[in-house]
Amino acid sequence: MARRPLPRILSDRGAHLARGRELARTAADSATDILHPLITIARGLRRLASAGRRRVADTPKDRRGALLFLVASVLMVVLLLPYGPLLATVSLMAAAAWQGRDRAPAAPEGPDESQTRRLKSLYDALVPYFSSAGAPDPLYAHGGSWEKAFPAYEFDGTGRITHLVIAYPAYYTDGEAESRARIEHLLAAKSGRGREYRFTWDEEGNQLTVRVLAPLPADIAAQRFVTSPGETVLGFTDPAQVRRTLPVVHGGERRDVPPVVWRTGIRSTEPHLLAVGQPGSGTSTLLRSVALQALRHGDVVIVDGGGTGEYACLTGRDGVLAVECEPAGVMESLRWAAHETERRLIAANRAHRAGDPPPEDTKRPLWILLDRPSAFTHLAAADGREDPQSLLQVPLRHGRPANVTVVVADQFDSLETLSDAVRQHTRARVVLGPATPEQVTAVLGAPPHTTPLDDVPAGRGYARLGTGPVHRLQVPATPNPYDDTAGAGHRQAVLDLLPARSAQDGARTEPERTVPETGPVRGTPADTVFMDKHSTEKEPAEKKPVEKEPVDPAATDETVAEAHAAHSADADKAAPEPVPMEAAAAESS
């Protein structure tokens, strides 16, 4: 059956619309040109009327009668003179045309003297890099002209460059990282330090675009972001980098800012995160922000290697399974997390084989947040005990299909102590604080496209999700609410986001106080949290916890099931058992 063509009105609709828009634009431009004198005269009459009203308002009340008599006398004389009304109308129109003229100063056609000197200096600095002795018509030469080399440029009010387009010869090695780094370092030094520059290399057109970036907002407080389950806001970036904005409350008003959103869950390609920075760079702030967002839809296990109580505000909250800062508790929590990952994989795999949906207890996300796990690695090596990072192999390798997410934060000087599993399976990366381009490249796998700042605020850095581009990042202000040195508004914002105290924990803790008081009342809890794979329980510290076996990656389904049964029955410690083959099959499916 032959296909009937569309009616002409439908097939040519796009052309008709484009032609109609062009005609409307042309008509509007023509009308503006024709009516421009009338528009100018009307604007002048409005300004003259405003000036007359101001004159009457400024005149004292006892002298307004004399002023009105004088105006009336002038009008009478004008009416009695031959051609008086005509001359008065022409004079009024001329005055209105003069008052209604465009008073905006004309933009200069070229740079002024100081801007010309700056462009000339920049051109002379680039000559040794872009010049060639054998070029017949060199674009860069000693004593040459900068007009052809800089086709576009912009300056700010202080006379410094904000936007510059640089044309360079085709023979320059712009494909080499070292060659690019030399030019970028030179331009950042000559254009003015203390600002961030973004460099865009157009290798096909042999042009380099330099643009000054506006500083990212560093005072956006933690709040409930408009995201769906499985989305976590790591921070905020430049508008040109992402195609999405989020409404936030900033400075008492609502505004839209571009976020860096990290997606986790079963279909995530970057299920785990690694954050690296210097001391005081904001990695703990990032983990607190992630924890507050994760508690909206999941459960959280926190391992605090710093030992400074940065996460004490989360202890005993709904959804917080444990906040551990001692080696014994850390080992117990990570063992439970590994066994819970296995249990979820086995339950999901059995449901898949039976053609049923996954059980509900495997759908709730489980987050494992580790701040400076290298501290426990050093303690374990000193005592001859097992490294806690070895227990992360199962959650890292099989966590994605089990809805288990691992977030690790550590410092640059401890990167060598991180296990191979942490470095291989954390495909989402964040670098915070002052760092050299080499350090950023080593962590993110790609160099940043901006120059580093001399004074880096807390929570400021770069982020890269998988193989995506490198984004500038500013983490939301999420301080420890018990830290008196932080701002009261930001601390109160964190307290407002904290979940309620759990029923079991509420009996032993005092009610939460607000920030304006002298600080939190720190109790002396003598309880230790012990977790089971199906529920969380709180036991007195005197009760000895049941030890669980370490996880071996070569276990079978039957041995793991027996091990879980032994744990629930408080059996003695058995030999280590490997990861079930059924769990690996669930991950591959």
Side-chain angles (χ1 to χ4, degrees):
M1 180 176 179
R3 180 178 296 176
R4 298 180 59 185
L6 291 173
R8 184 179 182 83
I9 190 174
L10 296 179
S11 59
D12 298 341
R13 185 176 181 180
H16 284 297
L17 291 177
R19 193 178 303 110
R21 285 194 296 267
E22 185 66 24
L23 290 175
R25 189 179 299 110
T26 304
D29 295 339
S30 301
T32 302
D33 295 338
I34 294 173
L35 299 177
H36 185 266
L38 297 178
I39 295 174
T40 302
I41 292 175
R43 184 167 54 244
L45 290 175
R46 185 175 65 252
R47 291 177 180 176
L48 290 175
S50 300
R53 286 195 300 268
R54 288 196 300 269
R55 176 63 178 171
V56 173
D58 295 340
T59 303
K61 292 184 178 180
D62 56 345
R63 301 179 59 184
R64 290 181 183 178
L67 180 62
L68 292 177
F69 179 76
L70 178 61
V71 172
S73 301
V74 171
L75 291 178
M76 289 295 295
V77 172
V78 169
L79 291 175
L80 294 176
L81 287 176
Y83 305 103
L86 179 59
L87 293 176
T89 303
V90 173
S91 301
L92 180 62
M93 293 298 103
W98 177 257
Q99 290 292 330
R101 72 188 187 280
D102 190 5
R103 301 181 181 181
E109 296 182 357
D112 56 19
E113 184 179 356
S114 62
Q115 296 172 356
T116 302
R117 286 198 305 267
R118 185 178 289 272
L119 292 175
K120 180 62 177 176
S121 173
L122 190 59
Y123 174 84
D124 294 338
L126 292 173
V127 167
Y129 299 93
F130 289 153
S131 62
S132 177
D137 186 15
L139 182 61
Y140 290 85
H142 294 284
S145 177
W146 57 267
E147 283 80 2
K148 293 182 179 180
F150 304 147
Y153 48 83
E154 294 179 6
F155 293 86
D156 58 7
T158 61
R160 297 201 297 177
I161 295 174
T162 58
H163 177 253
L164 180 65
V165 178
I166 302 174
Y168 59 88
Y171 53 77
Y172 185 73
T173 56
D174 53 1
E176 299 179 2
E178 295 181 357
S179 300
R180 292 189 177 193
R182 287 196 299 267
I183 299 299
E184 292 174 359
H185 179 73
L186 173 66
L187 293 175
K190 292 294 183 180
S191 300
R193 298 184 181 273
R195 301 184 298 174
E196 258 187 304
Y197 297 90
R198 181 173 183 84
F199 302 96
T200 305
W201 292 81
D202 182 8
E203 301 179 10
E204 184 178 1
N206 298 320
Q207 285 188 344
L208 170 61
T209 303
V210 184
R211 187 178 298 275
V212 178
L213 298 177
L216 296 176
D219 55 348
I220 298 180
Q223 53 194 278
R224 293 193 179 276
F225 301 112
V226 184
T227 56
S228 61
E231 292 183 344
T232 303
V233 177
L234 299 179
F236 307 101
T237 184
D238 301 307
Q241 292 294 104
V242 295
R243 295 176 295 178
R244 176 180 177 181
T245 59
L246 285 180
V248 298
V249 178
H250 180 216
E253 61 181 7
R254 195 176 185 88
R255 55 182 294 191
D256 293 336
V257 293
V260 178
V261 179
W262 173 39
R263 293 175 176 85
T264 58
I266 296 178
R267 291 174 176 82
S268 173
T269 57
E270 301 87 21
H272 309 296
L273 175 71
L274 172 63
V276 184
Q278 301 289 354
S281 59
T283 54
S284 299
T285 298
L286 175 62
L287 258 64
R288 269 191 301 270
S289 176
V290 171
L292 293 176
Q293 298 179 62
L295 287 173
R296 296 174 58 184
H297 307 287
D299 299 325
V300 175
V301 176
I302 300 176
V303 174
D304 184 10
T308 57
E310 292 290 331
Y311 308 95
C313 59
L314 296 171
T315 303
R317 303 285 179 174
D318 289 340
V320 181
L321 303 183
V323 179
E324 298 292 351
C325 57
E326 296 182 358
V330 170
M331 294 294 294
E332 184 70 17
S333 299
L334 295 183
R335 281 198 185 98
W336 174 87
H339 285 289
E340 174 66 11
T341 305
E342 295 176 357
R343 185 196 66 80
R344 292 186 175 205
L345 287 174
I346 295 172
N349 190 27
R350 288 174 178 171
H352 293 162
R353 289 182 178 180
D356 299 330
E360 293 297 330
D361 57 352
T362 64
K363 294 181 179 180
R364 184 171 176 81
L366 174 62
W367 292 72
I368 305 174
L369 309 181
L370 301 97
D371 192 356
R372 294 195 63 192
S374 58
F376 298 104
T377 300
H378 292 302
L379 293 177
D383 296 341
R385 293 183 283 106
E386 181 184 6
D387 185 4
Q389 295 188 51
S390 62
L391 301 175
L392 294 175
Q393 184 174 2
V394 173
L396 286 169
R397 180 178 297 178
H398 307 288
R400 182 176 63 85
N403 275 324
V404 178
T405 303
V406 179
V407 181
V408 180
D410 219 310
Q411 299 178 1
F412 278 108
D413 54 2
S414 303
L415 282 179
E416 297 180 355
T417 60
L418 295 179
S419 63
D420 294 337
V422 172
R423 291 196 293 264
Q424 292 175 4
H425 295 285
T426 52
R427 292 173 47 83
R429 299 291 180 90
V430 173
V431 176
L432 298 179
T436 62
E438 292 76 14
Q439 290 176 324
V440 177
T441 304
V443 176
L444 302 183
H449 298 287
T450 61
T451 55
L453 287 174
D454 297 334
D455 186 12
V456 182
R460 176 69 175 80
Y462 300 94
R464 190 186 186 203
L465 305 179
T467 58
V470 178
H471 300 281
R472 285 203 308 166
L473 181 71
Q474 178 62 53
V475 179
T478 316
N480 181 9
Y482 300 159
D483 184 8
D484 296 336
T485 61
H490 292 165
R491 287 188 289 147
Q492 187 61 50
V494 175
L495 289 176
D496 294 340
L497 293 177
L498 289 176
R501 295 281 186 181
S502 60
Q504 296 177 351
D505 189 67
R508 63 175 179 85
T509 57
E510 297 185 7
E512 191 75 39
R513 293 188 177 183
T514 56
V515 167
E517 299 195 15
T518 57
V521 178
R522 300 181 182 272
T524 56
D527 298 340
T528 304
V529 179
F530 302 104
M531 296 176 298
D532 188 71
K533 64 175 180 282
H534 296 294
S535 62
T536 58
E537 300 178 357
K538 297 186 179 291
E539 303 271 349
E542 293 78 7
K543 184 175 180 179
K544 184 177 181 180
V546 179
E547 297 184 355
K548 299 181 180 179
E549 296 85 0
V551 180
D552 191 357
T556 60
D557 190 359
E558 293 78 12
T559 56
V560 172
E562 294 176 1
H564 287 308
H567 297 325
S568 60
D570 298 339
D572 294 336
K573 185 175 181 180
E577 280 126 3
V579 174
M581 300 302 295
E582 189 173 0
E587 185 203 19
S588 61
S589 61

